[in-house]
Amino acid sequence: MNATLSETTASGKPGKKGCGRLVLLLSFCIPMLLLAVGFVLQQVHPFGDRQILVTDFWHQYYPFLRLLHEKLRSGGSLLYTWDSGMGTNFLSIFAYYAASPLNLLTVLVPESILREAVTVVLLLKIGCAGLFFALFLRGTFRRDDFSICLFAVMYALCSYILGYYWNIIWMDTVALLPLVVLGLVYLVRDGKYRLYVVALGLSLFTNFYIGMFTCIFAVIAYVCLCVFYLKPAQLPGRTIAMLLGSLLGGALAAIVLLPAYYALQLTYSVNNIFPTTVQFYESWRTLAADLISFHEPTAKDGLPNLACGVLSLALMGPFLRSASIRIREKVGAILVLAFLLISCNCNVLNYIWHGFHFPNMLPYRFSFLFSFVLLTVGYRAFLAALEEKFKVWDILAMLVMAVLVFAVSYNVQENQAVYWSVAVMLLYAVILLLFFREIFGKKLLYLSLSIVLAFEMFQNVKLGTETVSTSDYLSYPTQHEEVESLLAQIREQDDSLFYRTELSSWYTLNDPALYGYHGLSQFSSTANESVTKWMRAIGVPASEAGNRYYYGGGTPVSNAFSGIRYLISRSGSVLDLQEWQQLASEGACYSYQNQYDLPVGFWTAASLQDYAAAPDGNPFDNQNTLFRLATGVETPLFTRMEVDSVLYEGADATKNGYGSYTYQADAGAETRKLQYNYKLPVDGTLYGYMSLPNGSSISVLRNDSFAGSYNNGNQGYIFPMGTFSGSETASVSVSLPADSVTGTAMVYVYQLNLAALEEGYAKLQSGGIQITEFTDTKLSGSLTASQDGLCYFSIPYEEGWQAEVDGVKTAITPIGNAMIAVPVTAGTHTISLHYCPKGFAVGACATTGAVLLLIVLAVIEHKRGKPFLQPVAAQQNVKEIIHNDAEDTET
């Protein structure tokens, strides 16, 4: 064993603490610095007018982080929020999107610089990935020199992180993986369980989804460690300790795990079908070619992100060649790497890894495990070769790996990436050869390796940040000052304890969370499927598979049953002036008040409980049914309009039934447009519905003149067209995209029966609830019912809600399995709703109990002066632990 390894003690404590601290500091700072330089090159604010918010970070993560920031600074409850989805379980959102302890740092800054703070938090997470991997190498191999920094940087800047860093919610658990495995090493080798328990609990707490991958990998790692370290007689005790430690780690995170579990049972993602046949996605050569550097990582869809620096690839040759590495280590490493690689290419294993679910975008979300194993194997080979002064066979093995990389990757991966990767591998081999020939000392060895690695990592960072891209800083969120001013004016004029507001057209799919108002829209992996179906049934743009529903305009019925009192338009006046009365304006933004507003709770007929949402049906028919059952008004609220004429440009369409058309576009046409014209028999207000995937914006015309437009989106929805006289022609027009050849369009136009609306609205308004108390988790008020019926609440239903009527606990009657209603008798009543997420109480008790148990165990161990478990080889030399003897090598 060389001098450096001899400096470590049998207990594994480094011999030079100052050097070790510097190495850990560099492992933390270097990845952060390189990624920060990448952001500067991308002109990320304050070094330009760009920001790192893209895709779901833009639509989901930042709005939810802003919501968390607001709650932390105002002291709001983390259990529920009214600023998303008409009200939703915030603890489940927190568990999935915002549970990183580093997010607590954002409470120190105002919202005006929250995006910059989030960028810094991301950099800190990347730094932690490097630091924790360095700690893993130091604790596992009892090494404390600069070599651990080299491999730590490669882990923190592997292609998985560089491709998916925008998915900021995953980075904590990816960073914590090395600590979880180090905890397993301590448990198996040294009988110390505490790090494993705490690291696993923190991993599950910060993101239970990626934490699931860590749990699966922990089982694999445990088996390998037992093979490497334990004798058969020691296996039962260690296995029991591992199982109990895993349960204790899960209990530490139970305060978020249990509520999140119950919330996920309400989502669409629980409905998946196990693959019936085994299939492979890519050729094995294609996967192998993805291991090299200097190419774009997968940022949304594509191959698994496996690359983690070509030094780890080059060292696979010395790893397999080295006589000082036991056969069991080589076989174990190859089997684990092979299993992870096969998992990335086999549909069945991919399905199982993702929790019996095929993910939407961001494929192979567990591929960071492959990088972790490959870098660990590479470091093991580096140490073995370093101890033997890099024999000539190690250099030859590295050259063989370079040849193999070229042969596998050439004309499969980008050839420029192949050339650079092979060149860097050869540089590494030359540097190690110079060390082998004693031309380089150890300091010069590490300096040379660092220079080459810095070049490689910087190029990968540059490619990664370019691939992930950025978004405009100044326009996010769009017209924020104007909208904020209008929201402030609404708050000043309305002293009600509770009301809802919405934007006439969406910017993100989480505008209420982004702008800070009680609203309807929500795009979340924890979205309640039953509520999404309810929304889609009444013509709100929604998708169960897409985990989203969001505001698109609506009708007096959908707005009333959603509790929308105010509307803000960022693009001029709205078309439906029958329903909306203008209040104020700021620049191009206008605020409106609903003339048919209903409070969050109001009396309805008992027959409303018979309503069954039909999301695949005609939304106007669904609204007619909902209104009739709620009010008892038999006159249809909406009457369909027949098409008077059509105008097709660059396309033709065949009518399949009312509102259903199959179109065929002309491939050579410059303009492709479908237009449907309607003539009113009498003056009236019209509402349209269009479902045309991938279409452009919807235009509403009045006598062939443009009146207004709406986002088309991928989900069909109802939109206001305005009030027309009997002499006018109303038209709905949509342009087809250039790549659309054929498809199906659904186009409905219905006229509102104003007399029926007024009659029904008067009945519902008379039984509106007067809110007397409102918090994040409680709503109380008084209601006067003219007759027996229901108090309907425009609040999504889930089991966490409990109701009291006149102080007596009352069973909730879910409407359409989606919205809350409480039975009431004729007369005046006080109604209270209380919320606590299902599983929270049990989870909180489990977490508290786990913390107390850890404290008690620590006190007992302190008094005993030794751990409960006996170390595997307390008196063995490090060399005897991590190396084989001659007899074992022969075996």
Side-chain angles (χ1 to χ4, degrees):
M1 182 177 300
N2 64 26
T4 306
L5 272 179
S6 298
E7 291 171 357
T8 59
T9 66
S11 65
K13 295 180 181 179
K16 296 182 180 180
K17 294 184 179 179
C19 175
R21 290 173 184 155
L22 177 60
V23 168
L24 295 179
L25 180 62
L26 291 173
S27 299
F28 176 76
C29 293
I30 291 174
M32 272 201 316
L33 178 62
L34 286 173
L35 186 57
V37 171
F39 289 160
V40 171
L41 293 177
Q42 291 299 307
Q43 298 184 331
V44 171
H45 195 266
F47 302 98
D49 59 357
R50 309 299 295 172
Q51 61 182 4
I52 63 172
L53 277 60
V54 295
T55 317
D56 288 351
F57 198 176
W58 193 87
H59 273 291
Q60 290 181 294
Y61 311 156
Y62 181 77
F64 292 143
L65 286 172
R66 194 215 69 82
L67 190 52
L68 173 65
H69 178 264
E70 179 184 296
K71 283 180 172 290
L72 291 175
R73 287 176 68 92
S74 65
S77 172
L78 296 182
L79 301 183
Y80 200 79
T81 179
W82 299 97
D83 288 0
S84 182
M86 294 202 306
T88 194
N89 179 344
F90 184 74
L91 191 59
S92 65
I93 290 178
F94 173 79
Y96 195 88
Y97 294 103
S100 169
L102 292 175
N103 288 335
L104 294 175
L105 297 176
T106 63
V107 77
L108 302 175
V109 303
E111 186 181 335
S112 59
I113 58 171
L114 180 59
R115 284 175 287 169
E116 289 83 349
V118 170
T119 302
V120 172
V121 165
L122 171 60
L123 292 173
L124 290 173
K125 293 181 181 185
I126 304 306
C128 286
L131 171 63
F132 296 160
F133 195 82
L135 288 170
F136 161 73
L137 294 180
R138 186 175 75 160
T140 301
F141 298 99
R142 291 167 172 168
R143 188 81 176 186
D144 213 2
D145 67 355
F146 190 73
S147 63
I148 67 175
C149 180
L150 298 174
F151 287 81
V153 170
M154 285 189 280
Y155 180 73
L157 297 177
C158 66
S159 63
Y160 182 95
I161 288 179
L162 292 179
Y164 291 158
Y165 71 77
W166 61 268
N167 215 306
I168 188 173
I169 63 175
W170 294 354
M171 293 300 106
D172 298 81
T173 307
V174 175
L176 285 165
L177 172 68
L179 288 188
V180 175
V181 181
L182 178 59
L184 280 174
V185 172
Y186 286 164
L187 188 150
V188 173
R189 186 186 68 191
D190 306 325
K192 300 176 181 178
Y193 60 88
R194 218 166 307 159
L195 176 62
Y196 173 65
V197 171
V198 174
L200 182 64
L202 191 57
S203 178
L204 290 169
F205 183 92
T206 55
N207 190 274
F208 63 84
Y209 180 70
I210 303 300
M212 172 182 64
F213 305 148
T214 301
C215 290
I216 297 172
F217 183 73
V219 176
I220 299 172
Y222 175 74
V223 172
C224 292
L225 290 170
C226 287
V227 171
F228 297 161
Y229 287 110
L230 295 184
K231 295 178 180 180
Q234 298 168 317
L235 186 59
R238 288 294 194 270
T239 300
I240 292 174
M242 190 268 188
L243 293 175
L244 292 177
S246 298
L247 290 175
L248 193 55
L252 283 176
I255 192 170
V256 295
L257 289 182
L258 278 178
Y261 169 78
Y262 287 117
L264 288 175
Q265 302 312 300
L266 305 176
T267 66
Y268 178 82
S269 61
V270 299
N271 301 316
N272 287 277
I273 301 175
F274 198 94
T276 56
T277 59
V278 177
Q279 296 178 340
F280 294 96
Y281 300 119
E282 304 287 346
S283 73
W284 297 109
R285 186 182 177 191
T286 300
L287 282 187
D290 204 47
L291 285 166
I292 67 173
S293 288
F294 302 100
H295 65 86
E296 295 179 351
T298 294
K300 295 178 184 176
D301 281 310
L303 295 170
N305 284 314
L306 303 173
C308 54
V310 294
L311 180 58
S312 57
L313 283 180
L315 288 169
M316 281 299 296
F319 177 80
L320 297 173
R321 183 219 64 81
S322 177
S324 65
I325 298 177
R326 292 177 294 183
I327 298 297
R328 70 181 75 172
E329 289 186 67
K330 295 177 182 179
V331 172
I334 295 302
L335 287 178
V336 172
L337 286 171
F339 173 70
L340 292 173
L341 193 64
I342 293 170
S343 296
C344 289
N345 204 24
C346 175
N347 64 326
V348 174
L349 291 176
N350 185 35
Y351 181 85
I352 294 172
W353 268 104
H354 289 103
F356 297 90
H357 172 66
F358 285 121
N360 180 25
M361 291 202 318
L362 288 86
Y364 320 108
R365 301 178 181 187
F366 56 90
S367 60
F368 68 96
L369 301 171
F370 184 92
S371 297
F372 174 83
V373 175
L374 185 60
L375 285 168
T376 303
V377 170
Y379 189 73
R380 180 71 178 89
F382 183 82
L383 284 190
L386 193 66
E387 293 159 18
E388 301 169 13
K389 284 291 184 179
F390 284 94
K391 294 179 179 179
V392 67
W393 297 111
D394 293 310
I395 306 302
L396 290 176
M398 293 181 70
L399 295 177
V400 169
M401 288 303 301
V403 172
L404 286 176
V405 166
F406 184 84
V408 169
S409 304
Y410 188 71
N411 285 337
V412 176
Q413 189 55 263
E414 300 172 11
N415 283 341
Q416 184 177 2
V418 177
Y419 298 146
W420 276 110
S421 294
V422 172
V424 169
M425 290 180 75
L426 293 176
L427 269 176
Y428 286 134
V430 169
I431 293 170
L432 294 175
L433 176 62
L434 293 173
F435 178 73
F436 162 66
R437 301 294 296 176
E438 298 185 351
I439 297 173
F440 279 4
K442 191 167 293 182
K443 289 184 178 179
L444 193 53
L445 166 70
Y446 288 151
L447 177 61
S448 302
L449 290 176
S450 299
I451 292 172
V452 178
L453 181 64
F455 169 77
E456 179 189 358
M457 292 295 104
F458 174 74
Q459 294 301 321
N460 288 344
V461 166
K462 188 171 181 291
L463 283 167
T465 52
E466 289 174 353
T467 301
V468 172
S469 75
T470 56
S471 61
D472 183 63
Y473 177 87
L474 298 176
S475 63
Y476 186 92
T478 186
Q479 296 167 288
H480 181 261
E481 293 182 1
E482 292 89 341
V483 172
E484 178 57 38
S485 175
L486 292 174
L487 288 172
Q489 293 178 46
I490 290 171
R491 287 191 290 267
E492 290 175 3
Q493 75 159 30
D494 194 327
D495 58 0
S496 303
L497 292 178
F498 181 83
Y499 56 84
R500 289 199 181 95
T501 307
E502 260 303 345
L503 300 179
S504 61
S505 59
W506 61 88
Y507 176 62
T508 71
L509 301 184
N510 283 298
D511 282 349
L514 179 63
Y515 287 92
Y517 59 83
H518 301 333
L520 175 149
S521 304
Q522 183 183 71
F523 171 32
S524 165
S525 293
T526 62
N528 188 319
E529 180 186 12
S530 296
V531 178
T532 309
K533 287 181 176 180
W534 167 281
M535 294 298 178
R536 189 157 67 90
I538 61 173
V540 174
S543 168
E544 295 94 303
N547 300 313
R548 66 193 66 182
Y549 51 91
Y550 46 103
Y551 191 77
T555 71
V557 174
S558 61
N559 288 326
F561 278 80
S562 300
I564 308 297
R565 180 177 298 177
Y566 297 102
L567 186 68
I568 294 177
S569 171
R570 291 167 305 197
S571 56
S573 60
V574 300
L575 297 182
D576 190 3
L577 297 179
Q578 177 70 43
E579 180 180 5
W580 298 103
Q581 179 182 4
Q582 183 176 324
L583 296 177
S585 65
E586 288 287 342
C589 298
Y590 296 81
S591 62
Y592 299 85
Q593 184 168 357
N594 190 350
Q595 298 304 290
Y596 299 100
D597 162 55
L598 290 174
V600 66
F602 53 86
W603 173 91
T604 71
S607 55
L608 181 63
Q609 63 187 321
D610 299 328
Y611 176 77
D616 296 321
N618 185 317
F620 289 104
D621 290 342
N622 289 331
Q623 288 202 26
N624 279 339
T625 302
L626 179 66
F627 191 74
R628 175 176 56 80
L629 292 174
T631 64
V633 176
E634 295 294 331
T635 304
L637 189 61
F638 295 101
T639 304
R640 78 182 191 186
M641 301 287 295
E642 299 295 339
V643 174
D644 181 69
S645 62
V646 298
L647 174 63
Y648 301 142
E649 293 185 22
D652 198 6
T654 302
K655 186 175 182 179
N656 305 314
Y658 177 74
S660 176
Y661 301 88
T662 300
Y663 68 84
Q664 185 75 34
D666 183 354
E670 294 184 4
T671 302
R672 303 171 172 190
K673 184 174 71 173
L674 305 177
Q675 180 173 317
Y676 299 90
N677 305 315
Y678 303 83
K679 284 189 176 296
L680 281 69
V682 294
D683 296 356
T685 300
L686 298 182
Y687 294 87
Y689 172 89
M690 175 165 282
S691 176
L692 178 62
N694 301 319
S696 59
S697 65
I698 302 165
S699 296
V700 175
L701 309 179
R702 184 187 298 269
N703 293 333
D704 285 330
S705 296
F706 177 80
S709 64
Y710 295 93
N711 298 332
N712 181 62
N714 289 321
Q715 288 80 42
Y717 67 98
I718 293 176
F719 52 89
M721 295 177 62
T723 301
F724 293 78
S725 66
S727 61
E728 292 180 312
T729 298
S731 304
V732 176
S733 176
V734 62
S735 296
L736 302 175
D739 58 351
S740 180
V741 177
T742 186
T744 300
M746 303 294 292
V747 185
Y748 307 146
V749 172
Y750 277 69
Q751 183 172 349
L752 174 70
N753 187 319
L754 187 58
L757 174 64
E758 297 282 1
E759 180 184 353
Y761 173 71
K763 291 184 176 182
L764 301 179
Q765 186 188 41
S766 64
I769 193 170
Q770 301 294 318
I771 302 299
T772 56
E773 183 180 1
F774 170 74
T775 68
D776 283 347
T777 57
K778 183 179 180 180
L779 186 148
S780 299
S782 60
L783 172 145
T784 299
S786 58
Q787 55 184 296
D788 294 355
L790 298 171
C791 179
Y792 165 89
F793 288 92
S794 55
I795 300 174
Y797 168 74
E798 59 174 279
E799 290 186 41
W801 281 107
Q802 293 185 348
E804 292 182 358
V805 177
D806 299 327
V808 178
K809 187 175 180 180
T810 304
I812 291 174
T813 301
I815 306 299
N817 199 37
M819 309 303 287
I820 291 175
V822 179
V824 293
T825 58
T828 300
H829 303 280
T830 298
I831 303 177
S832 295
L833 297 177
H834 306 261
Y835 180 79
C836 182
K838 184 179 180 180
F840 174 72
V842 175
C845 290
T847 296
T848 303
V851 171
L852 293 176
L853 180 58
L854 280 175
I855 294 173
V856 170
L857 291 175
V859 171
I860 295 174
E861 284 186 326
H862 179 71
K863 290 184 177 181
R864 292 177 74 236
K866 60 180 180 179
F868 287 108
L869 300 174
Q870 183 68 24
V872 170
Q875 304 303 320
Q876 282 188 346
N877 186 281
V878 177
K879 185 175 182 178
E880 295 174 322
I881 295 176
I882 66 172
H883 296 291
N884 62 308
D885 55 22
E887 181 180 350
D888 194 23
T889 302
E890 292 174 2
T891 303

